Amino acid sequence: MQPADSTLAPPDARALLDQLPAMDVDEQLATLERLIHVPDIDFRRRVIGMGSAILTEERLVDFLRDEADDVRRNAGVEMLKLRRQRAFRLASHLLDDADPDVVLQAVLILSHLKDLRALEMLRTRALTHEDPNVVQEAVIALGRLGYTRALDDLLPLLDGEFWVAAAAIEALGRLGSTAAVPGLVSVLTDILLGPFAAEALTRIGGLNAYHAMARHWIRHHRDLDPAVHLRRLVYIAENLTCDAPEIPGFADVLQSHCGEEERKEVRGLALRCLTLLGGQNRPLAFF
């Protein structure tokens, strides 16, 4: 399907939008089909809001099924998002649709709604879907829901296909549970997934994440971007609820990055890490 009318002049478009509530149902749909293609962000936001208010669920599902017009399909998703909890039942039903692209749109809607009622259906119906795009979006949705019950579903995905594993790492970082630290550490040295895991560990924080990132720095500091990794270490250390613990060899490696030959930013971060070390030699429990 070609865009209905992407050259409609804004004044004419605004006039049509104002007349929309007084039109009959078929005329409303035909007019919306034209207006959603007007390339003006603020105006399109108004159109989406109007469409969300007046279109039936059946019409909106037709939008979602349009494979030939991404603008139309996206408009359907955005309209349903605006319906909030009223869209929950429909999106839940569409998880079982035969068209994987429609299932994908349903997952996007449920992810946006952040309703914990979606947890089980995402785990059992979307996370096991045959389409990898649906699985990836389901993983992201589980992270957005912020419920740690999803850990058992997400951790095994770290050994899976790259994009699904990367989405799982991001979701684990969003969940913020220290129980995810060992799993994230297991991929910290992976050339592709390692940077994602380091970011997730930084987001989670805590003693175990600090210990893991410090050990990673000790072993691989010659291969890491010192500014990026030290910035993460400083962030974790500054947000600990106790002094940063002494870790054998950590201070020595930090000292090696305090020389005049280092970039000013790296020297400053290394010195900041050194000043944050507690050095109390007290027993600390790590995983």
Side-chain angles (χ1 to χ4, degrees):
M1 176 185 293
Q2 294 297 318
D5 191 347
S6 59
T7 60
L8 193 65
D12 295 338
R14 288 193 292 271
L16 278 174
L17 186 61
D18 291 338
Q19 297 164 18
L20 199 64
M23 298 177 183
D24 63 39
V25 173
D26 289 336
E27 191 178 5
Q28 284 178 340
L29 179 62
T31 302
L32 279 169
E33 296 276 6
R34 300 173 67 193
L35 297 180
I36 59 174
H37 290 91
V38 175
D40 181 289
I41 295 175
D42 291 334
F43 178 78
R44 188 172 185 276
R45 190 177 295 117
R46 289 184 59 204
V47 175
I48 295 297
M50 185 72 76
S52 176
I54 66 175
L55 290 182
T56 64
E57 287 189 352
E58 290 74 19
R59 297 284 196 183
L60 289 175
V61 172
D62 286 342
F63 275 54
L64 298 185
R65 295 193 186 284
D66 194 338
E67 299 179 2
D69 189 344
D70 288 339
V71 173
R72 193 169 183 264
R73 170 172 276 177
N74 178 261
V77 172
E78 294 303 315
M79 288 175 191
L80 281 168
K81 284 180 179 180
L82 287 178
R83 291 191 172 189
R84 301 186 181 276
Q85 295 310 311
R86 289 184 296 155
F88 182 86
R89 183 193 61 80
L90 177 61
S92 303
H93 173 72
L94 292 175
L95 285 179
D96 296 321
D97 198 88
D99 185 344
D101 285 331
V102 173
V103 179
L104 179 62
Q105 310 312 315
V107 172
L108 289 171
I109 293 165
L110 291 172
S111 178
H112 174 79
L113 295 177
K114 296 183 181 179
D115 189 321
L116 286 178
R117 291 179 297 166
L119 178 65
E120 288 303 315
M121 61 185 72
L122 287 170
R123 292 176 65 234
T124 59
R125 291 154 64 189
L127 204 58
T128 58
H129 201 276
E130 61 184 14
D131 189 298
N133 292 324
V134 171
V135 175
Q136 183 179 349
E137 288 301 331
V139 170
I140 294 171
L142 288 174
R144 285 174 60 87
L145 283 174
Y147 199 40
T148 55
R149 277 181 59 190
L151 281 172
D152 291 340
D153 299 293
L154 296 173
L155 287 169
L157 299 178
L158 297 180
D159 297 323
E161 189 269 334
F162 169 73
W163 289 112
V164 172
I169 291 171
E170 179 185 346
L172 290 168
R174 283 180 176 271
L175 290 180
S177 172
T178 57
V181 171
L184 292 169
V185 171
S186 72
V187 296
L188 199 51
T189 57
D190 186 282
I191 190 169
L192 295 176
L193 295 175
F196 295 98
E199 186 63 31
L201 286 166
T202 303
R203 190 167 189 167
I204 292 170
L207 278 174
N208 286 342
Y210 178 79
H211 195 258
M213 292 286 281
R215 287 190 305 176
H216 185 59
W217 174 250
I218 293 167
R219 296 168 184 167
H220 304 286
H221 66 99
R222 292 182 180 86
D223 303 317
L224 298 170
D225 184 322
V228 171
H229 201 78
L230 284 172
R231 203 177 298 123
R232 289 170 175 157
L233 277 163
V234 167
Y235 178 84
I236 297 173
E238 287 183 335
N239 286 280
L240 291 174
T241 57
C242 62
D243 291 335
E246 280 281 6
I247 298 170
F250 186 37
D252 293 337
V253 176
L254 289 172
Q255 289 282 5
S256 71
H257 287 275
C258 293
E260 289 297 324
E261 70 280 1
E262 288 283 2
R263 302 198 318 264
K264 182 178 179 181
E265 180 185 15
V266 173
R267 287 202 313 272
L269 290 167
L271 288 168
R272 180 61 182 152
C273 273
L274 284 168
T275 63
L276 290 168
L277 291 176
Q280 301 299 315
N281 295 317
R282 57 186 180 277
L284 293 168
F286 299 106
F287 56 83

